[in-house]
Amino acid sequence: MGSTKRTLIKNGTIVTATDTYAADVWIEGETIAAITLQGMDLGTADVVIDAAGKFILPGGIDAHTHLDMPFGGTTSSDDFETGTLAAAHGGTTTIVDFAIQTKGQGMRQGLDAWHEKAEGKAAIDYGFHMIATDINDATVDEMKGIVASGVTSFKLFMAYPGVLYCDDGQIFRAMQKARDLGALICMHAENGIAIDVLVKQAVEAGHTAPKYHSLSRPQIAEAEGTHRAIALAEMAGAPVYIVHLSASRALEKVVEARDRGIPAYAETCPQYLFCSFDDLARDDFEGAKYVCTPPLRPKEMQDDLWRGLRTNDLQVVSTDHCPFCMKGQKELGRDNFTKIPNGMPGIETRLYLLWDGGVRAGRISMNRFVEITSAAPAKLFGLFGKKGTVAVGADADLLVWDGDKEHVLSEKTLHMRVDYSPFEGRVVRGAPTHVLSRGRVVIEDGRYLGKKGDGSFLRRGTFSM
Ligand code: URP
Ligand code: ZN
Ligand code: ZN
C-alpha cells in the first residue's frame, strides 16, 4: 500500500446494526482494509488505538440538520464550520443538511447556495436534501438534474403557509417525479393551513407565551398531515419519509400504512424522546428554548415513540438541529410566541442521549442504537456500504466508544454555537474517546485534531430499500 497511512484499532468490540463481536480493525488511508481476529499480525501500523473495554461503532449519521439556515427572520446559529465540528465531538461523522429553493427561483440556485455555504468549511462529510418550495413545470423538470448531482431526496412542507408550504397538488407532482427518479420525498407533515387559524386565534386571545406554540399545533394536525402524506405517496406509488415525527397519533398513521406494506418511513428526534410540553411551559420565557416544530408533546407520548423505535415503526433518530440563541434570536418572540424562531440545538448530543437514555436505560439494544443512528439513515439516503457500518471497503468513519464514560451536558462544555443547552446539567454515560472520519482521527479524548474543510460533499445514491 506504499505510503498510505495505516491505522489499527485493536482489542475492541465491534457493534454494527446486526453483529457484536471482538475484532481488530485495520485501516489503509480512508478505508477499512481488514477486520481480523484480535491479535492477528498484519504488520506494523502508523497509528495504533487501543480500544480494550470499548466498542467500535460506525460513525453517527444525522440525516436532518439545518446549518446556516435563514428562518424566522434570523439565521440558525451554527454554520457548516461550527455545526460539523460539534457533530464530530458528539460522534457524528456524516450529516445530510437541507438546501432550500427560494420561492420564485430554481432548485439549482438553492443547491448552489448551500454548496457555497459548506465548501471548505466542514469537519466531516456532508450531503444535501433539497427543500422544494415552488413546484411547477420547470422545477419538476429540474429534479432530474438535482438527483443526478447526488441530491437524491427532497423535503416538502405541509406547514408554514406562504413560506415553505406546498399544496397537495404540488406535493403529488413532486412525488410522482420522485418515483420516476428513484428519489425519496421527506415530508414535514402538519396541517399548516388549519394551524395558522389556531395561531391567529391564540394571539388574538392574548395567548402569547411559548407554550401556546404547542397548544396551537395539536397532534391531530400532525396525524392528519402524516395520513395525507402517506395517502398521496401511495397514490403516486412513491416511498415517503416522515421527518421529525413527534406525536402518538401521527405514529399510528405510519404503523397502519406499514402494516399494509406501504413504503412509509419515519424518524423522530431526541427532543421528542427526552423533552416534553412541560419544558415548553417553563416560566420566564425559558420555554422559548424548547420551541421547535412539530412542538413538544405531553410526556406520556414518549413511551409510544420508544416503542416505535423498538418495533421498527420508526426507523431513524435524527436531530433536526436548528439552533437559535436566546439572546437576539429566541427573544424576538418575548411578547409573541409566533416570533420565536422554531428550532432546537442537538447535533452534538444525539448519541449521548440515545446511548444513556436508550441503551443504558434498557429501551433499545446496542445494535438497534447503531441501526437508528447510522445504518438505517445510510440505507434510506443512499450511503450504505460506504457509511453506516463497520465492514471491509467501507469508509473508516468510526467511533471508539466508551459506554461508561460519565459527563455532564452543558452549554459551557458542548461545542454548538448556541447560548444554551436544552439538557443543561443532565448527567449521561457514554462518549467517544476517538472519532475517525475517513481514517483520520478528528477527535481524541475531547480534543479536535482535524481542520476545517476536511469534510467532503457526498453524492448519494438513489432510493433502494
Ligand atoms: O423547528 C424546526 N423543526 N425547525 C426547523 C425547520 C423544520 O421544520 O424542520
Ligand atoms: Zn420540518
Ligand atoms: Zn428540520
Side-chain angles (χ1 to χ4, degrees):
M1 279 283 174
S3 61
T4 307
K5 189 163 156 184
R6 203 164 209 228
T7 303
L8 166 63
I9 307 177
K10 63 177 190 180
N11 301 327
T13 299
I14 293 176
V15 183
T16 69
T18 48
D19 298 304
T20 305
Y21 59 104
D24 291 345
V25 179
W26 296 80
I27 300 161
E28 300 275 357
E30 302 189 344
T31 308
I32 298 175
I35 298 174
T36 65
L37 287 174
Q38 285 188 342
M40 249 177 87
D41 189 0
L42 294 194
T44 52
D46 305 294
V47 178
V48 178
I49 299 169
D50 189 352
K54 306 202 178 81
F55 300 108
I56 304 170
L57 314 177
I61 298 177
D62 188 347
H64 190 150
T65 68
H66 299 282
L67 300 176
D68 201 0
M69 176 171 101
F71 195 48
T74 181
T75 300
S76 60
S77 57
D78 266 320
D79 62 15
F80 277 83
E81 182 179 351
T82 61
T84 57
L85 177 84
H89 274 281
T92 287
T93 52
T94 298
I95 60 163
V96 189
D97 200 80
F98 288 89
I100 305 183
Q101 174 201 18
T102 305
K103 268 196 203 297
Q105 292 185 357
M107 292 188 196
R108 172 56 59 185
Q109 277 162 286
L111 185 54
D112 288 349
W114 252 258
H115 274 295
E116 226 164 275
K117 285 172 190 277
E119 181 71 42
K121 293 227 185 83
I124 53 168
D125 290 349
Y126 60 93
F128 295 126
H129 312 276
M130 185 80 231
I131 290 180
T133 59
D134 207 345
I135 307 281
N136 54 47
D137 289 346
T139 58
V140 166
D141 283 347
E142 260 195 301
M143 287 171 68
K144 186 173 179 190
I146 302 290
V147 170
S149 71
V151 175
T152 54
S153 43
F154 296 82
K155 182 177 177 187
L156 304 175
F157 285 80
M158 292 174 156
Y160 308 124
V163 188
L164 300 167
Y165 173 85
C166 286
D167 68 30
D168 288 357
Q170 292 173 315
I171 290 169
F172 188 59
R173 285 194 72 185
M175 284 175 163
Q176 288 181 320
K177 192 69 179 179
R179 171 202 62 205
D180 295 344
L181 296 171
L184 182 59
I185 296 292
C186 304
M187 187 65 69
H188 182 128
E190 279 187 304
N191 188 321
I193 301 287
I195 285 170
D196 263 16
V197 175
L198 293 175
V199 166
K200 188 161 172 285
Q201 288 168 350
V203 174
E204 280 167 4
H207 296 154
T208 57
K211 68 179 178 186
Y212 291 102
H213 174 68
S214 184
L215 296 174
S216 58
R217 305 183 91 91
Q219 70 154 332
I220 183 69
E222 188 181 347
E224 188 279 327
T226 303
H227 172 76
R228 184 158 37 101
I230 294 170
L232 291 169
E234 189 177 349
M235 279 166 69
V240 66
Y241 178 88
I242 308 296
V243 293
H244 47 44
L245 188 144
S246 72
S248 302
R249 289 185 64 182
L251 179 57
E252 281 170 18
K253 305 297 178 190
V254 176
V255 172
E256 187 270 332
R258 289 178 62 79
D259 286 351
R260 285 191 297 113
I262 299 298
Y265 306 90
E267 66 174 20
T268 189
C269 310
Q271 51 272 33
Y272 304 118
L273 296 165
F274 295 100
C275 304
S276 73
F277 177 78
D278 298 347
D279 293 303
L280 197 57
R282 289 188 194 196
D283 290 340
D284 296 332
F285 198 59
E286 227 196 299
K289 294 176 179 172
Y290 300 89
V291 169
C292 59
T293 305
L296 298 182
R297 305 295 184 185
K299 205 172 173 43
E300 302 76 70
M301 292 192 194
Q302 292 174 356
D303 283 345
D304 291 329
L305 299 181
W306 282 110
R307 192 178 60 243
L309 285 171
R310 272 195 304 278
T311 57
N312 202 36
D313 287 312
L314 293 169
Q315 293 75 42
V316 173
V317 177
S318 304
T319 62
D320 196 7
H321 177 73
C322 190
F324 297 102
C325 292
M326 285 296 276
K327 192 167 164 31
Q329 296 194 296
K330 292 280 187 184
E331 70 185 12
L332 292 170
R334 188 168 280 281
D335 302 318
N336 181 344
F337 74 91
T338 67
K339 304 260 185 315
I340 301 171
N342 292 194
M344 286 176 63
I347 204 166
E348 189 174 0
T349 48
R350 178 179 65 133
L351 300 187
Y352 299 150
L353 290 163
L354 286 172
W355 183 270
D356 186 71
V359 177
R360 292 189 66 95
R363 288 174 166 133
I364 51 172
S365 69
M366 290 195 294
N367 307 95
R368 186 66 184 151
F369 168 87
V370 170
E371 188 158 25
I372 62 180
T373 60
S374 184
K379 286 178 186 165
L380 282 157
F381 294 109
L383 293 167
F384 196 68
K386 280 268 169 225
K387 310 285 188 191
T389 192
V390 183
V392 173
D395 283 354
D397 285 7
L398 296 169
L399 311 180
V400 177
W401 184 265
D402 178 345
D404 298 318
K405 188 181 162 59
E406 187 173 290
H407 55 122
V408 181
L409 302 183
S410 169
E411 179 263 322
K412 291 186 183 58
T413 47
L414 292 166
H415 301 82
M416 297 173 283
R417 189 163 65 184
V418 60
D419 62 4
Y420 75 95
S421 168
F423 301 103
E424 188 65 41
R426 188 181 179 114
V427 179
V428 291
R429 281 170 158 230
T433 58
H434 297 76
V435 178
L436 284 79
S437 168
R438 274 186 288 107
R440 282 168 288 108
V441 177
V442 290
I443 303 290
E444 184 172 5
D445 295 323
R447 277 175 308 124
Y448 177 54
L449 305 178
K451 60 179 192 320
K452 156 178 169 176
D454 280 345
S456 296
F457 171 66
L458 297 167
R459 295 170 72 99
R460 296 182 290 114
T462 50
F463 182 78
S464 62
M465 292 271 286

